[in-house]
Structures are given as structure tokens and as C-alpha cells.
Amino acid sequence: MHGLGVAVYNGASALSNQPDLKFIMLSLIGTLIVGFIVGLIARAIKPGDDKLGWIMTSVLGIAGAFVASYVGVALGWYQQGEPAGFIASVVGAIVLLVIYGAVRKKS
């Protein structure tokens, strides 16, 4: 869209190819918030008593998104570097919660 005079912001500074610090921080905060929401939804869907605090719930949601992205790339659903969708992230978090519950019961 360069010919139309529309500037497209890609998170890079105007003077260099390095990502803007503000863009990186907002992206990180957004990832944490979405991870927390995904973790809460996964814990609400999966039955059982999982004694996880809010930090572990966030980690669960973020890890679920990574699992969903990895499996999606392996199966050809996503391109390399493309984030997983919200529903796939919740499914990935549920899978991790089931694995966590099975490991916790054995110990």
C-alpha cells in the first residue's frame, strides 16, 4: 500500500529496522493478558480441582498457545511464525492441564 500514501506500522522504528520498544512491551502485555484469559477458560472447561494460582494460570494459557502453534505448524494448519487462534490456544491449554493432572496424580 505504499502507492496510496498509507503508512503501515509494523513495529519497527523509522530510523532502523529494530522493533520499537513500546511495540514490544505492548505485545508482551497483550500476550500475558490473553494467556491469562485462555488459562482461565481452560480451567473452567476442564473439570476437577486444579490448585493453580493466577501466575500458573497465565503460564498455562501462554504455554497452551505455544503448544497449539507448534501442533498447527506440524499439521500444516498454520505457517511458521503465525500465532495460533484463540480456540486452538484454549484446546492446547486444556491438553496441558490434563497432562499436569496425570503427572500430579502419579507423584
Side-chain angles (χ1 to χ4, degrees):
M1 302 210 94
H2 296 128
L4 299 175
V6 177
V8 178
Y9 182 67
N10 63 0
S13 164
L15 300 176
S16 71
N17 245 356
Q18 298 298 320
D20 190 15
L21 183 61
K22 182 179 177 182
F23 179 77
I24 292 171
M25 291 304 296
L26 288 175
S27 176
L28 180 63
I29 291 171
T31 300
L32 293 175
I33 291 171
V34 169
F36 180 67
I37 293 169
V38 165
L40 284 177
I41 292 171
R43 286 185 60 196
I45 292 174
K46 184 202 166 275
D49 184 25
D50 300 312
K51 297 183 191 307
L52 298 173
W54 64 274
I55 293 175
M56 285 304 294
T57 299
S58 298
V59 169
L60 171 76
I62 294 167
F66 281 119
V67 166
S69 293
Y70 179 76
V71 170
V73 168
L75 294 176
W77 297 342
Y78 301 115
Q79 297 295 320
Q80 186 68 33
E82 185 180 4
F86 189 78
I87 294 173
S89 298
V90 171
V91 171
I94 291 171
V95 167
L96 289 179
L97 229 122
V98 168
I99 292 170
Y100 170 77
V103 169
R104 197 170 121 213
K105 283 183 183 180
K106 286 188 178 190
S107 54

